[in-house]
Amino acid sequence: EKLTVPEVRPKVIRACEDLVEAEVAGKGGLSGAAIKAGFRVLKAIKPGIVAEVIDRLLSEFTDAIEPLHAESMTLSERGGPSPGRSFTAHLTDNDARAAQALLSVTDRRAAKANNRTIKKTYDRLRGSAEQHVKAAVPDLARTIAPFV
């Protein structure tokens, strides 16, 4: 909920957009080349799509990871680290759950996409998405921790 309040939302969107750009730029090998190519296609079809998609999905992403946030708050209340640090650690420790939660949102959205190119690109990249999202969870946790 804190991530979506009007005074914080634009900062979260910008931070997440920077994270997405950095994650894509850092990919290597054949799968990295495919991700970069797909990303270029998406951005060519619709400039500003990254921020737009983050904005459109932020509430759903927030809802998807809320159970992990609630668990981290409980751990913090029981004498664990501070809430922001606890959230970062808990999300990182539960990277597979976090990745699945986030991908459940994009899977639902991709299934409803009207643009065939976007849908085809998503479907082609989805097979490797879980490993990439899971690997990005620690950076995501650090990115959003200042806002929770």
Side-chain angles (χ1 to χ4, degrees):
E1 182 175 302
K2 294 177 185 179
L3 299 175
T4 60
V5 295
E7 59 274 6
V8 174
R9 186 181 190 97
K11 296 173 187 171
V12 172
I13 291 167
R14 182 71 213 150
C16 289
E17 184 178 14
D18 291 345
L19 174 63
V20 170
E21 295 279 352
E23 286 292 323
V24 171
K27 297 300 178 194
L30 288 176
S31 65
I35 289 168
K36 288 176 184 178
F39 196 63
R40 278 192 305 275
V41 167
L42 291 175
K43 287 173 60 175
I45 291 170
K46 191 165 188 179
I49 192 168
V50 177
E52 182 182 318
V53 168
I54 293 167
D55 186 33
R56 190 177 307 140
L57 298 179
L58 185 59
S59 296
E60 291 177 67
F61 283 147
T62 301
D63 290 346
I65 62 171
E66 176 54 32
L68 290 160
H69 179 255
E71 291 168 10
S72 75
M73 294 304 291
T74 300
L75 293 171
S76 181
E77 290 167 2
R78 291 183 181 160
S82 66
R85 184 175 164 159
S86 177
F87 177 67
T88 301
H90 192 65
L91 206 61
T92 299
D93 290 346
N94 291 277
D95 55 357
R97 281 179 59 205
Q100 280 298 323
L102 295 169
L103 288 169
S104 71
V105 172
T106 58
D107 288 348
R108 280 193 309 272
R109 289 297 192 113
K112 297 176 186 177
N114 293 325
N115 185 306
R116 290 177 54 193
T117 304
I118 290 175
K119 191 171 187 170
K120 183 177 177 181
T121 301
Y122 183 85
D123 289 345
R124 190 175 80 238
L125 298 175
R126 179 54 176 92
S128 63
E130 187 171 349
Q131 74 182 30
H132 293 290
V133 174
K134 184 178 172 185
V137 166
D139 288 334
L140 173 64
R142 284 188 292 276
T143 297
I144 62 176
F147 305 107
V148 295

